[in-house]
Amino acid sequence: MSKHTDAAADVLLEKKGCAGVITLNRPKFLNALTLNMIRQIYSQLKKWEQDPETFLIIIKGAGGKAFCAGGDIRVISEAEKAKQNIAPVFFREEYMLNNAVGSCQKPYVALIHGITMGGGVGLSVHGQFRVATEKCLFAMPETAIGLFPDVGGGYFLPRLQGKLGYFLALTGFRLKGRDVYRAGIATHFVDSEKLAMLEEDLLALKSPSKENIASVLENYHTESKIDRDKSFMLEEHMDKINSCFSANTMEEIIENLKQDGSSFALEQLKVINKMSPTSLKITLRQLMEGSSKTLQEVLTMEYRLSQACMRGHDFHEGVRAVLIDKDQSPKWKPADLKEVTDEDLNNHFKSLGSNDLKF
């Protein structure tokens, strides 16, 4: 077994059996991603992809509480305010890693046990296999901090059933356990007590093909028992979600929810009204445009959006209200959807010329 890191490292990169194993190792910070971690994972992923002795890649989080709660955005916001320009580099390299996961030539298995949000979704959802447990808690909560569901959210969210992805993106709604599988975000579900055994079985495979790996995952999935007989928690609301969130503007979506008037619709309305109006409008357009783009085209678009958000007001205010002062009372500017003009919106999506993200 070869190790590339010491025990105190934020990410462990180990060759075990037939696999390269990536362990996100900042459990105190819910394994939030730093630029240093992104760089290490990217370069190791590329090496393993070329290595004939590495047959699969496994990624997991240390500590049992989180797979990865997202990018360490507090650090980015603080650096921006101190005029240290790390945001252009952080988002560029993070999105390049998301693309590397999506185009990985080796079977890629993400064990999404615990909190999996934002940047953690980007490290898992584009890979071939995503294994959720009953402890998995999925969300793309970015509209609450003046951002948008990035890391390729514009690619995978509009491709979920009906308008489910639009609903998850705009409200930041949390999915738990087997529902992460039922929503189509995970490819398999395994009871967490069997997770270590599953990993051992994968590592013990001899020169496995993609089919061998799939078959091990399939067996564990079939034998999982937790919540097996429960239906998808949003099943009863899917008709409402599909009709309310099929509108092309935020104003119409809000009108649809008001007209619907059910307690579920009014609950979503309450949530949406707390979000950054700019973020809501950017996000809706991001998903509509992303629905017909490749992952690389989506990441290029999202890179433009990320840089526009760094220049704006709401991201820094959202980070302050949610992560720093924790007063949960952000003062958005503009504070009203109707004040977010088409011109504002178009500026977010504008090309950055030679600074665009290219693959």
Side-chain angles (χ1 to χ4, degrees):
M1 189 171 99
S2 59
K3 289 199 176 188
H4 297 259
T5 41
D6 59 79
D10 288 344
V11 59
L12 310 177
L13 305 160
E14 303 164 288
K15 181 75 170 55
K16 294 184 184 178
C18 67
V21 181
I22 302 165
T23 308
L24 307 171
N25 192 34
R26 296 180 77 209
K28 284 200 186 95
F29 302 97
L30 302 176
N31 298 324
L33 270 183
T34 62
L35 182 57
N36 175 35
M37 290 162 77
I38 290 166
R39 288 179 168 168
Q40 288 191 61
I41 296 166
Y42 183 87
S43 85
Q44 191 57 55
L45 195 56
K46 291 296 179 194
K47 284 180 193 145
W48 279 334
E49 227 177 341
Q50 299 305 316
D51 172 26
E53 295 305 303
T54 303
F55 291 88
L56 84 142
I57 290 156
I58 294 173
I59 184 166
K60 60 183 184 170
K65 215 167 158 188
F67 167 67
C68 170
D72 202 338
I73 48 176
R74 178 179 175 163
V75 169
I76 298 167
S77 179
E78 286 171 349
E80 283 293 296
K81 283 188 188 147
K83 297 281 183 280
Q84 295 163 330
N85 229 357
I86 75 161
V89 182
F90 181 91
F91 287 104
R92 182 180 296 271
E93 297 195 28
E94 183 183 25
Y95 296 176
M96 287 181 73
L97 176 56
N98 300 147
N99 179 61
V101 169
S103 59
C104 186
Q105 296 304 301
K106 300 274 166 90
Y108 183 98
V109 181
L111 305 176
I112 50 175
H113 173 63
I115 297 165
T116 304
M117 296 182 184
V121 176
L123 282 183
S124 52
V125 78
H126 306 298
Q128 201 167 4
F129 301 110
R130 290 93 64 188
V131 183
T133 71
E134 76 280 4
K135 296 274 194 319
C136 181
L137 179 63
F138 163 94
M140 293 299 278
E142 290 82 2
T143 54
I145 54 160
L147 208 55
F148 57 95
D150 62 340
V151 298
Y155 181 79
F156 84 88
L157 289 163
R159 286 166 174 79
L160 298 178
Q161 56 188 288
K163 293 290 170 182
L164 176 62
Y166 290 78
F167 164 73
L168 296 173
L170 295 167
T171 63
F173 189 89
R174 296 176 168 201
L175 292 171
K176 296 186 184 76
R178 202 181 278 262
D179 282 336
V180 179
Y181 163 74
R182 294 202 175 99
I185 292 153
T187 56
H188 297 81
F189 178 85
V190 173
D191 300 346
S192 64
E193 60 176 28
K194 295 280 195 325
L195 203 55
M197 253 167 65
L198 164 64
E199 192 183 336
E200 278 172 36
D201 283 357
L202 288 171
L203 297 179
L205 292 168
K206 298 281 175 267
S207 316
S209 65
K210 186 177 87 184
E211 289 68 30
N212 300 143
I213 293 160
S215 137
V216 171
L217 294 173
E218 208 46 57
N219 289 341
Y220 273 84
H221 176 79
T222 308
E223 286 168 20
S224 64
K225 298 194 171 51
I226 296 171
D227 291 340
R228 180 190 285 178
D229 304 321
K230 276 195 185 158
S231 61
F232 183 37
M233 73 174 299
L234 290 171
E235 195 56 57
E236 56 178 317
H237 305 301
M238 276 314 296
D239 288 348
K240 284 185 173 56
I241 287 172
N242 292 340
S243 61
C244 292
F245 287 83
S246 61
N248 292 333
T249 67
M250 265 326 293
E251 288 85 349
E252 286 172 84
I253 289 175
I254 285 173
E255 191 49 42
N256 289 345
L257 290 166
K258 281 182 186 157
Q259 292 293 322
D260 181 280
S262 64
S263 62
F264 175 78
L266 297 177
E267 185 55 40
Q268 305 325 310
L269 195 58
K270 216 160 79 185
V271 171
I272 285 173
N273 281 330
K274 291 186 181 141
M275 303 306 188
S276 153
T278 303
S279 289
L280 290 169
K281 285 201 171 179
I282 294 169
T283 299
L284 180 56
R285 177 159 156 192
Q286 171 206 357
L287 267 59
M288 286 165 65
E289 292 199 9
S291 66
S292 57
K293 287 184 184 322
T294 64
L295 176 59
Q296 289 189 348
E297 289 167 343
V298 163
L299 291 166
T300 297
M301 165 179 73
E302 291 179 355
Y303 186 68
R304 294 170 180 172
L305 295 176
S306 73
Q307 299 313 293
C309 288
M310 293 308 109
R311 296 192 299 269
H313 165 273
D314 281 5
F315 169 67
H316 305 288
E317 173 59 10
V319 169
R320 180 205 65 74
V322 176
L323 299 175
I324 298 174
D325 299 341
K326 299 191 172 148
D327 57 33
Q328 312 300 330
S329 311
K331 304 279 178 282
W332 305 125
K333 283 183 199 165
D336 201 306
L337 275 171
K338 59 177 181 290
E339 294 166 34
V340 183
T341 64
D342 287 347
E343 189 189 357
D344 292 336
L345 212 50
N346 292 338
N347 282 336
H348 278 79
F349 285 83
K350 259 199 198 123
S351 164
L352 300 169
S354 61
N355 290 327
D356 258 341
L357 175 59
K358 297 179 188 70
F359 295 98

